[in-house]
Amino acid sequence: MRANAKSDVKTKKAVHDPWDDMVIHLRKKGPEVRDAVFEGHRVDFFRGKDLVAHMKTCKEARELMEKLPQDKLKGTNLDDQSDSLGHNLLRRGVFFRAERSQKTPKPGKKLLKYPKRLDLSRDNTFDAEGFYIWRFVLPTSVWMYVGSAGVVVLTIACCLFPLAPHWAKLTVLYLCLTLLGLIFFFCIVRAMVFGAVWVLFGKHLWVLPNLFSDDVGLVEAFQPWYEFEGADDPNFKAPSFWSRMLAAAAITASFYGLYTYSPETDEMAAKAHQAHKSILEMLDLYQVPKQLAGSNETLSSNLTNATGLNETAGEILYSSNETSVPPVVETDGEVDGLEVEEEEAEAAEEDEEEAEGVEEVNKEEL
């Protein structure tokens, strides 16, 4: 009996639950997940309609649903089976239903497809129009640890940035300026595409519409690639043709005025060079690196020492020449050396007289 009981336990452990495969699939590759604030905590949630749409379009999800106990899934078509799947996952506690905290839109705005805040719903049944918060948490992957270690290394590198070499600082500066220039260039192209489509067709075409949105994450900011407002909406009313032409004429006149009164190329280049110099000076990157400055100082000191040695050698040679050459005698019989000594003696006497005069003046003033 004990052996049979042990074998039953082993078989139960060995049997794989198909519900786990379905839950892991939905959590990894299932409906689109967004984050919101629920009771002061940030949670992941999805829409019920996205779950139904995923079950219709994903072949892997349908194959996993066929492996589930069919007595648990009610309905003959895929919509009913998807609703039954949602009810079963709710009962298993994989996720629970929530509702919008703000149920009415602000004046002049529409309700967001994915709300920022959620509250607990009293009705914990599955409905395609509801929102559902995930309770099931995927195990931490290796890439999460790698990313965490990378964040720590990046933080330390930012703290040690003032000690980085001069070339590294310049590289980071030019990379940031390049990225900023690409962002400005993309914004200009995005606005030009929107303006051209609006003038020609009266529709709104935005490239990467969520790029500057505060309601989405980093990955969702680049999804979708474009959004064409008014293309399939019969209630969308485009502005009249003449109003669009008038707006296009005003924009063209503005650009023509900017082009006409724009500064010359040489002046713009000089201002750009001055701006570049100001940025380097502001970030203390315009001065010569310390290593180069030290080498220059060493070189200058060596040159100074060499110059001093040359001057000393020249003085020695000059003095030796003076001692070897006899004094020149003039025709009147006076020696040049004696005249020099007399002149120096007279200059010394004059200096002494001036010093005595200054002392007398000071005494009178006292």
Side-chain angles (χ1 to χ4, degrees):
M1 295 291 292
R2 291 181 180 177
N4 293 333
K6 290 182 180 180
S7 62
D8 293 340
V9 172
K10 289 182 179 180
T11 46
K12 287 182 180 179
K13 290 182 179 179
V15 172
H16 191 71
D17 191 1
W19 290 99
D20 295 340
D21 295 337
M22 175 59 75
V23 172
I24 293 174
H25 168 77
L26 292 177
R27 194 68 174 92
K28 287 184 176 180
K29 306 176 183 179
E32 184 178 0
V33 176
R34 296 294 181 93
D35 61 282
V37 177
F38 175 76
E39 295 182 355
H41 301 282
R42 190 163 293 277
V43 295
D44 295 336
F45 74 98
F46 64 93
R47 300 186 303 176
K49 61 177 69 176
D50 293 336
L51 176 61
V52 176
H54 176 75
M55 298 305 298
K56 290 180 179 180
T57 57
C58 184
K59 182 179 179 181
E60 183 180 356
R62 292 195 300 270
E63 292 177 353
L64 291 173
M65 189 166 60
E66 291 176 358
K67 297 178 181 179
L68 298 175
Q70 296 301 315
D71 57 337
K72 299 292 184 179
L73 300 177
K74 299 179 182 179
T76 56
N77 55 13
L78 194 57
D79 290 338
D80 296 338
Q81 291 179 355
S82 299
D83 291 341
S84 180
L85 175 65
H87 287 295
N88 283 279
L89 295 178
L90 278 172
R91 285 197 295 268
R92 288 175 172 267
V94 178
F95 47 77
F96 62 94
R97 187 171 178 177
E99 60 184 6
R100 297 175 181 268
S101 297
Q102 185 178 355
K103 298 178 176 61
T104 56
K106 294 181 180 180
K109 294 186 178 181
K110 298 180 181 179
L111 281 175
L112 297 174
K113 294 169 60 176
Y114 297 93
K116 297 181 180 180
R117 296 183 177 274
L118 294 172
D119 294 332
L120 183 64
S121 176
R122 297 181 179 179
D123 183 12
N124 198 28
T125 59
F126 186 81
D127 184 9
E129 299 299 327
F131 301 95
Y132 301 91
I133 297 176
W134 280 104
R135 279 181 174 173
F136 178 78
V137 180
L138 289 172
T140 305
S141 63
V142 179
W143 294 108
M144 181 64 70
Y145 293 108
V146 174
S148 302
V151 171
V152 174
V153 172
L154 182 62
T155 304
I156 296 175
C158 292
C159 295
L160 297 178
F161 182 75
L163 302 178
H166 187 258
W167 63 266
K169 294 180 180 180
L170 288 179
T171 303
V172 173
L173 173 63
Y174 290 137
L175 285 176
C176 294
L177 292 177
T178 303
L179 181 61
L180 186 62
L182 290 176
I183 292 175
F184 280 125
F185 176 75
F186 175 76
C187 292
I188 293 173
V189 173
R190 186 170 179 255
M192 291 176 64
V193 171
F194 175 83
V197 174
W198 182 80
V199 170
L200 295 176
F201 306 102
K203 308 294 183 181
H204 297 171
L205 177 61
W206 287 109
V207 180
L208 296 178
N210 296 326
L211 184 61
F212 301 105
S213 178
D214 298 333
D215 304 331
V216 298
L218 179 61
V219 179
E220 291 81 5
F222 297 93
Q223 297 174 354
W225 289 100
Y226 66 92
E227 185 177 10
F228 202 7
E229 298 180 1
D232 300 328
D233 189 3
N235 298 324
F236 182 82
K237 294 182 179 180
S240 63
F241 176 78
W242 294 111
S243 62
R244 286 183 277 134
M245 291 297 105
L246 182 62
I251 294 173
T252 305
S254 301
F255 278 108
Y256 179 76
L258 292 174
Y259 175 77
T260 304
Y261 294 100
S262 61
E264 296 182 357
T265 306
D266 296 338
E267 184 179 356
M268 291 179 64
K271 290 183 177 180
H273 179 72
Q274 183 65 28
H276 176 260
K277 183 179 178 181
S278 300
I279 292 174
L280 293 180
E281 290 179 350
M282 180 180 63
L283 299 177
D284 198 16
L285 297 176
Y286 193 73
Q287 57 186 355
V288 181
K290 293 183 179 179
Q291 296 179 354
L292 297 178
S295 61
N296 292 336
E297 292 176 357
T298 305
L299 180 61
S300 61
S301 63
N302 294 335
L303 292 175
T304 305
N305 295 332
T307 305
L309 292 174
N310 293 333
E311 291 177 354
T312 304
E315 291 177 356
I316 293 173
L317 291 174
Y318 182 75
S319 61
S320 62
N321 292 332
E322 284 184 348
T323 54
S324 60
V325 178
V328 179
V329 179
E330 295 184 355
T331 56
D332 57 356
E334 294 181 356
V335 182
D336 294 339
L338 295 175
E339 291 180 356
V340 171
E341 291 179 357
E342 291 177 358
E343 291 177 358
E344 290 180 353
E346 292 176 358
E349 291 178 358
E350 292 177 359
D351 294 334
E352 289 178 358
E353 291 176 358
E354 290 179 359
E356 290 176 357
V358 171
E359 289 180 358
E360 291 179 357
V361 173
N362 292 335
K363 289 179 180 180
E364 292 177 357
E365 290 177 356
L366 292 174

